[in-house]
Amino acid sequence: MSKSEHSQSGISLKLRDSLQGVSANLGILIINHEREVCFFNSAAQTILSISKSILGKRIDNTVIADFGTGEKETFGRQKVLFQDKVFWVMRSMLLGNDYSGTVILFFNAADFETIIKEIQDARDLNNELSTLIESSADGLVISDHNGILLKMNPAYEAMTGVNADDFIGLPAKRLVNEGHLHDLVTRQVLETKKAATMIQEIRGREILFTGTPVFDSENKLIRVIANIRDLTELNSLSRQLHAIREEVKFYHDEMTRLKIESLKSKVIANSVEMHKVLETSLRVAPMDATVLLLGESGVGKKVIAQLIYEFSKRFGKPFIKINCGALPPSLIESELFGYEEGAFTGAKRTGSPGVFEMASGGTLLLDEIGDLGFDLQVKLLRLLQEREVTRIGGKKPIPIDVRLITSTNQNLENMVNENKFRKDLFYRLNVVSIMIPPLRSRPADIPPLATHFVHHFAKKYNMTRRISPDLMKAFVEYDWPGNIRELENTVERLVILSLEESLDISLFTANRETRVSPAALGSLKLALEETEKKLIIQAYNLFGSTRKAAAALGINQSTVVRKLQQYGHG
């Protein structure tokens, strides 16, 4: 046995464990009759910055010698200066059958007033709580973790007809045993450690009993608070309310379940990057804030916008999507803001509302917002600031209530710096921005996406198709400049053109950009002709007509006819 172990052997394990649990502000040292340090608690270790190396050493030979100064029979309280701090130190004899020593208690003198204030605050709080309990119109009874009654207020006595003096300090179940109650809510809480509610008839009155557990910092049950309330007049309404709440909860849970199932079918995401995107989207969805979706073309910005809409408070109300880059400049303004009769040549006689009016109460997605002209940016900014729109040719502003989502594949910050996009509008749109990473930076999403598309298109075209490990490896290693949209189109093409159940990897690699040596450049034309020949013949054999083959390959029917004749396959 080491000297430090020997020096602690006289102190029981139970005592040491108890002393370790003392307040973090109170340091404890124990020295034996030979003045050797045989114990210190974690608070002492922290306050004095000491280590276990001092165990077994005489305190006079350690850095904390000042805490053991004075005659060993001298006890009481004194001040000690240690490392420029003043400590109050108290010593007391520790005697046992085979052990004797000195207990040294100390705390920072600067903490003394804080401790005193905390004690006073605790007393004041206790007095306030006692006053609240005594004056409460609801009946209150408090029990400990064993069900022993600790406190009962006058309202509880009046409702149940019992006398607090007859039960304080006794088990709560005695109220049942003596016939004062039919059952005991406190007992249920003790058994389940969860809140419980019951209704009993007492002295001709219907009483609602509610039991609430109280836990300490270690999640151990320390108290049970039983609250009782007379519900004679309100009992019928209470039951109706309970039924309504249960029904609302059922529909809410069912709606949540359906949304989650819908999410699984619409968003395939295995990567950490996309999980963060989904987490942010679901967190912002109920907040009704303006959202800016950023990312390359084909990464799934519309899917995320749909997700935000479906999990928002506006779900079920209009969700209108418009691509700002797909409309000619002459039409975009009227599409956004609407127009009145006679506003321009060709305008409808009745006029027409814009998308902001049509989406009022719901959600509006403005896709490719970076393509919006500067003059329209000014009008959009005014609309967002004033929450009202004025039609082209109109004078009367129309109030709108729209949750706006915008998306773009452009760098709006760079456009702001280049004076191509208004800074004030950018700040209006950029309340919450969500960057959707490109497919090449989240390769973990490629296999499940590819598998999903294979199943989808195989079912669509009534085929049996699968992806070989080599093709999946090629998919993962490819950069996918067109992102998910390119992957989807590629899989559809392979499903259609592959002659075997396993997708033809050559149909994929033949269309990828590859690096070749100068010596191989001379055969490029021949290689392209061979690939073209193979694809056209495969498509013709699969569909049986030049028209369908041309549609699948995205070329003219006349080209297919001419090429087949050229290849002697017509």
Side-chain angles (χ1 to χ4, degrees):
M1 181 183 296
S2 68
K3 188 172 182 180
S4 64
E5 291 174 332
H6 176 76
S7 67
Q8 299 179 68
S9 61
I11 304 175
S12 70
L13 181 62
K14 182 177 181 180
L15 176 58
R16 276 182 279 159
D17 289 343
S18 298
L19 294 177
Q20 286 291 3
V22 174
S23 169
N25 294 320
L26 182 62
I28 301 176
L29 297 166
I30 298 180
I31 58 177
N32 60 21
H33 64 284
E34 296 179 352
R35 297 180 61 76
E36 295 172 336
V37 179
C38 54
F39 172 82
F40 55 80
N41 68 346
S42 56
Q45 183 176 13
T46 301
I47 296 171
L48 303 180
S49 300
I50 56 179
S51 66
K52 291 184 178 180
S53 61
I54 71 171
L55 292 174
K57 296 181 180 180
R58 287 179 58 83
I59 193 170
D60 307 314
N61 299 327
T62 67
V63 295
I64 57 173
D66 291 340
F67 287 84
T69 57
E71 298 297 330
K72 58 184 178 181
E73 64 272 6
T74 301
F75 302 98
R77 186 177 69 182
Q78 69 176 96
K79 287 185 177 180
V80 170
L81 181 63
F82 180 76
Q83 294 181 348
D84 299 326
K85 295 180 181 178
V86 177
F87 292 88
W88 279 108
V89 180
M90 292 161 285
R91 302 179 183 84
S92 179
M93 290 292 294
L94 179 65
L95 299 175
N97 294 333
D98 300 316
Y99 183 85
S100 64
T102 303
V103 178
I104 303 172
L105 308 177
F106 63 92
F107 56 86
N108 194 324
D111 295 335
F112 185 73
E113 291 186 3
T114 302
I115 295 173
I116 295 300
K117 186 178 185 305
E118 289 177 354
I119 294 173
Q120 185 59 50
D121 289 345
R123 287 175 177 171
D124 292 342
L125 179 59
N126 182 65
N127 291 334
E128 290 178 15
L129 291 175
S130 295
T131 301
L132 288 172
I133 291 171
E134 291 297 317
S135 61
S136 173
D138 288 349
L140 293 169
V141 62
I142 301 174
S143 308
D144 67 10
H145 65 287
N146 291 318
I148 303 300
L149 293 176
L150 303 177
K151 193 172 187 62
M152 182 185 296
N153 74 344
Y156 193 100
E157 293 178 287
M159 290 185 202
T160 59
V162 301
N163 190 325
D165 294 337
D166 296 336
F167 292 93
I168 297 301
L170 299 175
K173 62 183 179 181
R174 185 167 174 176
L175 288 168
V176 176
N177 295 338
E178 295 189 1
H180 299 288
L181 300 175
H182 301 303
D183 201 355
L184 196 63
V185 73
T186 298
R187 181 171 59 191
Q188 290 189 26
V189 175
L190 291 172
E191 291 174 354
T192 65
K193 293 182 173 56
K194 296 180 180 179
T197 301
M198 64 174 61
I199 295 178
Q200 294 190 39
E201 183 175 327
I202 300 176
R203 305 166 71 188
R205 309 289 290 179
E206 286 192 286
I207 305 296
L208 173 68
F209 286 74
T210 302
T212 305
V214 179
F215 300 94
D216 63 11
S217 59
E218 297 179 354
N219 205 32
K220 293 180 180 179
L221 181 66
I222 57 173
R223 295 285 187 273
V224 176
I225 300 176
N227 175 283
I228 65 174
R229 179 172 296 179
D230 191 337
L231 294 181
T232 305
E233 287 81 17
L234 299 177
N235 186 60
S236 177
L237 290 176
S238 176
R239 288 174 180 169
Q240 292 179 35
L241 179 60
H242 178 72
I244 292 172
R245 285 176 175 172
E246 287 297 311
E247 187 175 2
V248 169
K249 183 179 183 301
F250 170 79
Y251 285 118
H252 178 270
D253 293 345
E254 184 66 13
M255 184 177 294
T256 301
R257 185 186 67 80
L258 292 174
K259 285 181 178 180
I260 292 175
E261 289 300 318
S262 174
L263 176 61
K264 289 180 180 178
S265 65
K266 294 181 179 179
V267 183
I268 299 173
N270 280 7
S271 66
V272 174
E273 295 83 0
M274 279 305 294
H275 282 179
K276 290 180 180 178
V277 169
L278 295 179
E279 181 183 345
T280 303
S281 301
L282 292 175
R283 188 164 60 247
V284 74
M287 303 302 178
D288 221 23
T290 301
V291 179
L292 173 62
L293 301 176
L294 304 170
E296 297 177 4
S297 294
V299 294
K301 296 189 290 293
K302 291 187 180 69
V303 173
I304 298 301
Q306 182 74 29
L307 169 67
I308 293 173
Y309 163 69
E310 292 184 4
F311 279 82
S312 72
K313 299 175 183 177
R314 297 173 182 258
F315 179 63
K317 297 178 181 179
F319 181 34
I320 297 179
K321 311 165 193 175
I322 184 169
N323 189 323
C324 298
L327 293 172
S330 58
L331 294 180
I332 184 66
E333 183 176 5
S334 60
E335 287 292 327
L336 289 178
F337 308 116
Y339 59 86
E340 296 290 1
E341 177 184 359
F344 50 84
T345 303
K348 293 181 181 179
R349 293 176 58 185
T350 57
S352 177
V355 292
F356 277 97
E357 284 184 68
M358 292 187 288
S360 191
T363 303
L364 174 62
L365 170 62
L366 295 182
D367 193 16
E368 302 305 341
I369 189 68
D371 292 339
L372 201 65
F374 228 79
D375 54 338
L376 292 181
Q377 292 177 29
V378 176
K379 293 186 177 182
L380 177 59
L381 176 63
R382 186 183 306 118
L383 182 151
L384 295 177
Q385 290 173 334
E386 300 175 2
R387 311 303 295 180
E388 59 185 25
V389 63
T390 301
R391 294 182 182 182
I392 300 174
K395 298 180 179 179
K396 182 180 179 181
I398 303 170
I400 59 167
D401 173 24
V402 174
R403 200 268 179 86
L404 183 62
I405 302 175
T406 59
S407 64
T408 181
N409 59 9
Q410 303 183 61
N411 190 321
L412 292 187
E413 289 191 72
N414 287 348
M415 294 181 67
V416 168
N417 295 333
E418 295 170 1
N419 292 323
K420 296 180 180 179
F421 200 87
R422 290 185 63 94
K423 180 186 295 187
D424 44 8
L425 177 59
F426 172 68
Y427 290 144
R428 276 280 179 179
L429 301 178
N430 194 36
V431 176
V432 177
S433 63
I434 301 176
M435 171 62 73
I436 305 172
L439 194 55
R440 61 182 171 274
S441 67
R442 45 185 174 108
D445 289 333
I446 294 176
L449 282 167
T451 302
H452 167 76
F453 291 139
V454 169
H455 291 162
H456 171 75
F457 291 117
K459 181 178 180 181
K460 176 180 178 180
Y461 296 112
N462 195 24
M463 296 176 172
T464 301
R465 292 289 184 263
R466 62 181 176 84
I467 301 179
S468 67
D470 289 341
L471 178 56
M472 188 66 79
K473 182 174 183 293
F475 278 176
V476 172
E477 292 175 349
Y478 183 51
D479 279 347
W480 298 109
N483 294 293
I484 298 175
R485 187 180 296 120
E486 181 186 3
L487 174 61
E488 180 180 10
N489 293 339
T490 298
V491 170
E492 183 176 15
R493 178 170 57 83
L494 296 185
V495 167
I496 293 173
L497 298 181
S498 295
L499 300 179
E500 305 293 336
E501 179 179 330
S502 180
L503 299 185
D504 190 346
I505 189 172
S506 67
L507 296 177
F508 175 63
T509 56
N511 286 272
R512 289 177 55 186
E513 181 182 355
T514 57
R515 295 182 180 180
V516 296
S517 64
L521 291 175
S523 62
L524 177 59
K525 181 178 180 181
L526 179 61
L528 290 174
E529 290 176 351
E530 286 297 320
T531 300
E532 179 185 68
K533 175 181 177 181
K534 183 177 180 180
L535 289 175
I536 291 177
I537 292 175
Q538 284 180 337
Y540 178 70
N541 290 337
L542 176 65
F543 293 103
S545 77
T546 56
R547 181 180 60 80
K548 292 182 179 179
L553 294 172
I555 59 179
N556 294 328
Q557 183 182 12
S558 60
T559 301
V560 174
V561 173
R562 177 169 53 81
K563 292 291 184 180
L564 287 174
Q565 292 174 347
Q566 177 183 334
Y567 302 142
H569 203 81

